[in-house]
């Protein structure tokens, strides 16, 4: 009780300074609560947004095939028992059984996340349970049946977990910065208390108080002041961030503990050392501490660069310390550098006549116990702004580049296949291109063919597009590829024969020869047309009886805004059972009367070999292709090499010629991929295979991709339309950017509090100096100008040093940290760190304005105090 009573009496005497302590604790508690609560709220909203979608990505299907019809109930019960492990986190959306023919049937069960799963804990629990369910549902889990699982829910839940992990791999950085700033401000205010209580401390020491007793007084005083302020700050943070911040109360407790620690330690040190001893020990301690911290920064940064901040399903806490340790060590280095800079400026200013700026420069250089605190606070706050601007720009660039890589273009339209199992799409590629190109805001659109390939036994992706369209449509993937160079490399002479513009009919003069005893059935002709972009269309030309010997056929050319080219003419023998020795030839061809120089053939047909093809040109050109660096390295390719490729269906194959090597192929998430000229590929595949690669996509460039995508969905309802934007899991991790900026804002306010405390300290300790200067004829105006210039110079130098240390942290740590927070296929060539110059300028200007107000207030206080200051002993 006596201790508490003494604390209360001491506190009343220094209520103003303790109020500043309470303000620091309140700001620290409120800021950390807002950061943590905001991250939790964004995570909850992100989970609801991602899992709430009603599409295949949020569905989990279990299908049992080969089920005996009498055994459906038993199989369904086994699947239901497995799905019951999901509990109330999943909702049943499908429960069907169907006959599949041959005395067999199928059993299907489908689930989606329930409302209870639409939260961070719910999504995490559902992911863990679903993993166990998938592991239990092996293909042979039910005897006599084949079990398969499908749907995107398991992968989506893994992405969400990865996104939340990525978010929390960055979240501790702004929290740590806020707590570091709070500690710096509290130490500075505590030092002011020690200065103000110097005589009181001497009196207590003279009456037998030990440093331990003084530390106990400081500890109790810190708790009395800090605990209520921390509670109030936590309440303010909860009110600002919402209910999600309720669980962040430990951060408020840490802030209160820092207040107690600062007051306790400074009080104990005041009882142990004299002022001279403390001053003489401070520079050595600063150098040693800075060196040790730099060593820690190098170690943690090396681990971050090597392993990243995320290690499997956990966060590497050592690597995560890197940004904060870099910023703090950089600020301490700024303090060490500031001293020689101030000394150099003092020597330079001393050559000039007059009181100012030489006196201010001299004071700036010699005030080595107070000025470093201001330098540390300002440099660290500026460094935090630089790191926030650098991380946000680096993360945004990396997330956008990965989205560009995955999507390939601003807008990507995947056409739906016909249900007959053929390669045909529900709408012709040429018509799909016309519909997309007519959308307002779309500047260009082109058809593409995408497919999975095999290079030897290794998988690879194919992106086929007309070389002339690459530059205008393909994404540059954050500058890692040059679409124009890709286009130039794969552009080649157009294959086939050009039809006259606006041609309506292609006429064929077909001759057929056959032995008299084999002349039966009919020959059906189909022309293969391609537009300038390589979109294929097959047009029937009619049929001719084999025994007719010769006849004319015609095909109506589809209307099209561009020009068509004739690639091939297919002939097929029908209704000729057992026939052989039949030969069909194209004696002549024309388009609206304009002759087409088509090779005549002939094509040998029989009932066993019933189809053949006449190419519009005898010889084809090599198919130029640009391959990814990973594919070139794995296959030992160089420019000019031939590259055999086969499609996953094992039916189609051809050979392309390497025309270039790039870091990545836009539109493919695989490292091994290639871009080929679509018209040339069409021609090459038709020469050696029954069919070409289907043109199944349309890519478009648009000024407003989101609006264009909405219009494309309306224009082609059954198509899948996507835009180049980060996925939901990546957007979850993006919430950390806002936390970094909030952390900077709170840190900047705490830095201002520290600088205000420094200004108060200077005012208190230099009163007699003001009186002496006034006695020497230096007026109050001149003193205020000199002292203001002194503090303003400190601010400018500290900001510059902070920018330098912040940039060092950005280029050392922002890259690996940002890349780890993007949930998508990584870029083989990482992007260089970037800085959002506009946001940084605004942040630094805001900090500078606040510091300018402090400097102005300080000069006014100096001017006022200089008129009334007395030298010790004056009355």
């Amino acid at each position: 009780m006596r201790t508490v009573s003494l604390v209360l009496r001491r506190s009343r005497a220094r209520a103003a300074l303790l109020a500043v302590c309470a303000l620091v604790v309140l700001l620290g508690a409120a800021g950390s609560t807002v950061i943590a609560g905001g991250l939790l709220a964004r995570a909850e909203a992100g989970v609801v947004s991602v899992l709430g979608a009603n599409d295949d990505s949020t569905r989990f299907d279990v299908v049992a095939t080969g089920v005996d019809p009498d055994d459906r109930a038993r199989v369904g019960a086994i699947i239901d028992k497995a799905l019951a492990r999901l509990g109330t986190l999943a909702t049943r959306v499908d429960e069907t059984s169907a006959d599949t023919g041959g005395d067999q049937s199928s059993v299907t069960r489908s689930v989606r996340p329930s409302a209870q799963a639409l939260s961070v804990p719910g999504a995490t629990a559902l992911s863990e349970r679903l993993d166990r369910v998938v592991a239990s549902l092996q293909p042979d889990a039910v005897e006599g049946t084949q079990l398969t699982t499908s749907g995107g829910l398991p992968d989506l839940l893994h992405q969400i977990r990865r996104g939340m992990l990525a978010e929390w791999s960055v979240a501790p950085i702004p929290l740590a910065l806020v707590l570091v700033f709070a500690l710096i401000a509290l130490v500075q205010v505590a030092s002011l208390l020690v200065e103000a209580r110097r005589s009181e401390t001497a009196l207590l020491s003279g009456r037998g108080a030990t440093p331990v007793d003084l530390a106990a007084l400081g500890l109790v005083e810190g708790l009395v002041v800090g605990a209520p302020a921390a509670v109030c700050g936590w309440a303010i943070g909860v009110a600002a961030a919402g209910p999600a911040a309720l669980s962040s109360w430990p951060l408020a407790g840490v802030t209160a503990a820092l207040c107690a620690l600062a007051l306790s330690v400074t009080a104990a040190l005041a009882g142990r050392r004299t002022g001279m001893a403390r001053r003489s020990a401070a520079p050595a301690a600063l150098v040693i501490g800075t060196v040790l911290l730099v060593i820690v920064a190098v170690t943690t940064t090396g681990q971050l660069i090597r392993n990243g901040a995320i290690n499997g399903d956990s966060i590497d806490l050592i690597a995560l310390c890197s940004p904060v340790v870099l910023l703090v060590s950089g600020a301490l280095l700024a303090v060490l550098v500031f001293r020689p800079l101030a000394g150099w400026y003092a020597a330079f200013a001393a050559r000039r006549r007059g009181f100012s700026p030489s006196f201010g420069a001299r004071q700036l250089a010699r005030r080595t116990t107070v000025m470093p605190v201001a330098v540390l606070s300002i440099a660290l706050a500026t460094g935090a702004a630089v790191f926030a601007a650098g991380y946000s720009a680096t993360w945004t660039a990396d997330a956008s580049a990965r989205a560009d890589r995955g999507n390939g273009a601003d807008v990507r339209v995947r056409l739906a296949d016909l249900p007959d199992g053929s390669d045909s799409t529900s709408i012709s590629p040429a018509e799909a291109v016309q519909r997309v190109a007519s959308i307002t805001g779309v500047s260009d659109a082109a058809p593409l063919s995408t497919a999975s390939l095999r290079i030897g036994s290794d998988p690879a992706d194919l992106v086929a597009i007309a070389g002339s369209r690459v530059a205008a449509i393909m994404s540059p993937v954050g500058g890692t590829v040059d679409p124009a160079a890709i286009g130039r490399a794969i552009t080649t002479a157009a294959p086939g024969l050009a039809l006259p513009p606006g041609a309506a009919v292609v006429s064929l003069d077909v001759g057929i020869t056959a032995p008299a005893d084999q002349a039966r059935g009919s020959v059906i002709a189909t022309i293969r047309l391609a537009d300038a972009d390589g979109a294929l269309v097959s047009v029937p030309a009619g049929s001719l009886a084999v025994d007719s010997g010769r006849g004319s056929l015609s095909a109506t050319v589809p209307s099209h805004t561009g020009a068509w080219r004739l690639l091939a003419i297919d002939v097929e023998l029908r209704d000729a059972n057992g026939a052989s020795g039949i030969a069909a030839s194209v004696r002549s061809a024309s388009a609206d009367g304009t002759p087409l120089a088509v090779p005549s053939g002939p094509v040998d047909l029989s009932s066993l070999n019933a189809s053949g093809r006449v190419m519009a040109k005898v010889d084809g050109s090599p198919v130029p292709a640009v391959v990814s660096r990973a594919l070139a390295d794995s296959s030992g390719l160089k420019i000019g090499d031939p590259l055999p490729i086969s499609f996953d269906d094992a039916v189609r194959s051809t050979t392309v010629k390497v025309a270039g090597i790039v870091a990545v192929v836009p539109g493919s998430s695989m490292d091994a991929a290639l871009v080929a000229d679509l018209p040339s590929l069409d021609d090459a595949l038709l020469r050696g295979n029954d069919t070409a690669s289907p043109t199944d996509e349309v890519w478009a460039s648009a000024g407003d991709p989101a609006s264009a995508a909405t219009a494309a969905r309306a224009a082609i309802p059954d198509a899948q339309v996507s835009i180049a934007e980060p996925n939901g899991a990546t957007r979850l991790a993006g919430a950390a950017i806002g936390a970094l900026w909030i952390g900077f804002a709170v840190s900047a306010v705490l830095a201002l509090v520290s600088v205000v405390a420094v200004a108060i300290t200077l005012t208190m300790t230099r009163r007699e100096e003001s009186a002496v200067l006034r006695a020497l004829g230096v007026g109050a105006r001149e003193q205020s100008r000199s002292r203001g210039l002194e503090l303003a110079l400190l601010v400018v130098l500290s900001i510059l040093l902070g920018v330098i240390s912040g940039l060092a942290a950005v280029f050392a740590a922002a890259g690996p940290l940002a890349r780890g927070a993007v949930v998508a296929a990584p870029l083989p060539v990482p992007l260089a760190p970037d800085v959002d110059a506009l946001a940084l300028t605004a942040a630094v200007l805001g900090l500078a304005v606040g510091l300018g107000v402090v400097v102005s207030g300080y000069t006014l206080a100096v001017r006022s105090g200089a008129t009334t200051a007395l030298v010790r002993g004056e009355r």
Side-chain angles (χ1 to χ4, degrees):
M1 290 299 296
R2 292 179 59 187
T3 300
V4 174
S5 176
L6 179 59
V7 167
L8 292 176
R9 287 198 300 270
R10 281 162 53 92
S11 300
R12 282 196 297 269
R14 303 298 175 189
L17 288 174
L18 291 174
V20 176
C21 267
L23 175 62
V24 172
V25 173
L26 186 145
L27 289 172
S32 56
T33 301
V34 167
I35 292 171
L39 288 170
L40 290 172
R42 284 286 302 272
E44 295 283 348
V47 169
V48 171
S49 174
V50 174
L51 284 183
N54 188 21
D55 54 29
D56 289 342
S57 67
T58 59
R59 186 180 175 113
F60 177 65
D61 304 312
V62 182
V63 180
T65 56
V67 181
D68 189 295
D70 297 332
D71 213 16
R72 291 177 183 174
R74 183 182 70 86
V75 173
I78 293 174
I79 299 176
D80 290 339
K81 182 178 179 180
L83 292 177
R85 299 178 184 177
L86 302 178
T88 58
L89 297 175
T91 301
R92 186 74 56 84
V93 295
D94 190 10
E95 183 175 341
T96 59
S97 300
D99 292 326
T100 57
D103 295 330
Q104 291 187 339
S105 61
S106 64
V107 177
T108 301
R109 297 289 188 270
S110 301
V111 296
R112 290 188 189 277
S114 67
Q116 295 183 8
L118 303 184
S119 65
V120 172
T124 303
L126 179 59
S127 178
E128 294 172 351
R129 295 183 187 181
L130 194 58
D131 286 345
R132 291 194 290 269
V133 169
V134 172
S136 68
L137 293 174
Q138 297 299 319
D140 56 351
V142 180
E143 183 179 356
T145 69
Q146 181 74 14
L147 279 182
T148 58
T149 59
S150 59
L153 183 58
D155 288 340
L156 184 62
L157 288 170
H158 289 159
Q159 285 187 11
I160 290 175
R161 290 172 64 180
R162 181 66 171 75
M164 290 188 293
L165 194 65
E167 178 184 19
W168 286 104
S169 71
V170 183
I173 296 173
L175 292 172
L177 286 174
V178 168
L179 295 177
V180 167
F181 270 104
L183 180 60
I184 292 173
L186 287 169
V187 169
Q188 181 59 21
V189 176
S191 299
L192 282 176
L193 276 171
V194 168
E195 187 69 25
R197 290 171 170 172
R198 183 183 301 174
S199 58
E200 179 184 323
T201 301
L203 178 62
L204 290 174
S205 298
R207 296 175 64 87
T210 65
V212 175
D213 296 329
L214 295 175
L217 289 175
L219 181 65
V220 174
E221 188 174 50
L223 292 175
V224 169
V225 172
V231 172
C232 291
W234 174 75
I236 293 172
V238 171
L246 286 170
S247 59
S248 60
W249 60 265
L251 295 172
V254 171
T255 312
L258 290 178
C259 178
L261 179 66
L263 294 184
S264 175
V265 172
T266 53
L269 292 177
R272 288 188 60 186
R273 298 178 181 175
T274 64
M276 183 61 68
R278 189 164 59 250
R279 285 193 294 270
S280 62
L286 177 63
V287 173
I288 294 173
T290 302
V291 171
L292 292 177
L293 206 58
V294 168
I295 294 174
V296 174
V298 172
T299 303
T300 56
T301 303
Q303 184 151 330
L304 175 64
I305 293 172
R306 286 192 305 272
N307 306 326
I310 300 176
N311 186 9
D313 291 332
S314 62
I315 296 174
D316 188 335
L317 296 179
I318 295 177
L320 188 59
C321 293
S322 171
V324 176
V325 178
L326 280 171
L327 290 172
V328 175
S329 60
L332 290 174
L333 285 172
V335 172
L336 293 178
V337 172
F338 177 81
R339 294 186 175 189
L341 287 177
W344 174 84
Y345 177 70
F348 174 78
R351 302 173 185 174
R352 302 182 60 182
R353 294 183 178 182
F355 178 76
S356 180
S358 59
F359 183 79
R362 172 60 180 161
Q363 293 301 312
L364 188 66
R366 64 184 291 267
R367 298 282 173 180
T368 57
T369 58
V370 178
M371 296 301 187
V373 176
V375 176
L376 179 66
S377 301
I378 298 171
L380 189 53
T382 306
V386 175
F387 189 81
Y391 177 85
S392 63
T394 303
W395 181 89
T396 301
D398 193 76
S400 298
R402 295 198 204 184
D404 285 347
R405 177 191 179 182
N407 211 59
D410 294 337
V411 181
R412 185 172 186 172
V413 181
R414 295 173 174 87
L415 304 179
D417 294 330
L418 288 176
D420 59 6
S422 67
D423 286 338
S424 301
T425 53
S426 60
I427 180 176
S428 72
E431 183 180 352
V433 170
Q434 290 182 9
R435 292 188 186 183
V436 173
S438 64
I439 295 173
T440 302
V442 172
S443 58
D444 209 343
L448 283 91
S449 176
T450 59
S452 297
L453 301 177
R454 287 282 166 181
I455 310 295
S457 60
D458 298 326
D461 273 353
L462 166 70
V463 174
I465 179 175
S468 59
R469 309 305 295 278
V470 173
I473 292 175
M474 187 173 281
S475 296
V477 191
T480 58
V481 298
D482 182 358
I486 294 176
R488 289 191 299 270
I490 67 173
T491 298
T492 186
L497 300 174
L499 302 188
V505 177
V506 172
S507 301
L508 303 176
D509 181 8
V510 179
I512 304 174
T513 61
D517 59 343
Q518 304 293 324
R520 54 183 177 270
S522 60
V523 173
I524 298 174
T526 304
I527 65 171
R528 298 273 192 157
L529 301 177
D531 65 9
D533 296 330
L536 282 176
V537 61
S538 298
V539 183
S543 62
L544 188 64
V546 173
D547 59 8
S548 65
R550 183 174 181 178
S552 297
L553 302 177
S554 64
T556 302
V557 177
S559 60
H560 186 51
T561 55
W564 289 105
R565 299 185 70 86
L566 176 63
L567 295 188
I569 301 170
D570 290 352
V571 291
E572 182 181 359
L573 181 63
R574 295 275 185 92
D575 303 324
N577 210 9
S580 62
I582 300 172
S585 60
V586 179
R587 304 173 71 92
S588 66
S590 64
D592 287 355
T594 302
L596 299 174
V598 177
S600 60
V603 177
D604 294 328
L605 301 173
S606 69
S607 60
L608 298 178
N609 184 25
S611 61
R613 177 172 296 144
V614 176
M615 298 301 299
K617 286 186 176 181
V618 175
D619 297 320
S621 302
V623 181
V626 171
V627 302
S628 65
R629 171 58 62 185
L631 178 56
D633 291 343
S634 63
S635 301
L637 298 173
K638 61 182 182 298
I639 294 177
D641 285 350
L643 175 63
I645 62 173
S646 60
F647 289 71
D648 265 358
D649 56 16
V651 174
R652 289 166 289 195
S653 62
T654 188
T655 299
V656 299
K657 182 179 179 180
V658 178
I661 300 173
V662 292
V664 295
V665 170
S668 170
S669 60
M670 292 188 65
D671 290 339
L674 61 92
V675 185
D677 178 60
L678 180 56
S680 301
L681 182 65
D682 288 338
D683 186 69
L685 288 173
L686 289 176
R687 290 179 183 278
N689 305 270
D690 289 340
T691 60
S693 180
T695 307
D696 53 0
E697 296 191 10
V698 175
W699 289 9
S701 56
D704 184 357
S707 299
T710 302
R713 294 185 185 100
I716 312 175
D718 59 353
Q720 294 182 10
V721 183
S722 60
I723 61 175
E725 65 176 0
N727 56 37
T730 298
R731 291 196 296 273
L732 273 177
I737 293 176
L740 283 172
W741 282 114
I742 294 173
F744 159 71
V746 177
S747 301
V749 174
L750 291 173
L752 291 176
V753 172
S754 295
V755 177
V756 168
V758 169
I760 294 173
T761 303
L762 291 174
T763 303
M764 291 173 54
T765 57
R766 298 174 69 176
R767 287 175 180 168
E768 291 190 11
E769 175 188 301
S770 297
V772 172
L773 291 174
R774 188 185 64 188
L776 293 174
V778 181
R781 182 185 298 273
E782 186 69 14
Q783 287 190 45
S784 67
R785 183 184 300 115
S786 175
R787 298 266 287 275
L789 179 63
E790 174 185 320
L791 195 56
L793 182 61
L794 179 144
V795 167
V796 172
L797 285 177
S798 299
I799 289 177
L800 291 176
L801 292 172
V803 169
I804 295 172
S805 65
L807 288 175
V810 166
F811 284 94
L817 194 66
R819 288 192 290 273
V822 179
V823 188
L827 301 176
V829 181
L831 299 180
D834 196 6
V835 176
D836 187 341
L838 183 61
L840 177 59
T841 302
V844 173
L845 282 178
L847 178 63
V849 169
L851 292 169
V853 172
V854 174
V855 171
S856 299
Y858 175 63
T859 57
L860 292 175
V862 170
R863 186 172 181 179
S864 174
T867 59
T868 58
L870 298 175
V871 180
R872 187 177 302 174
E874 284 188 329
R875 295 289 184 269

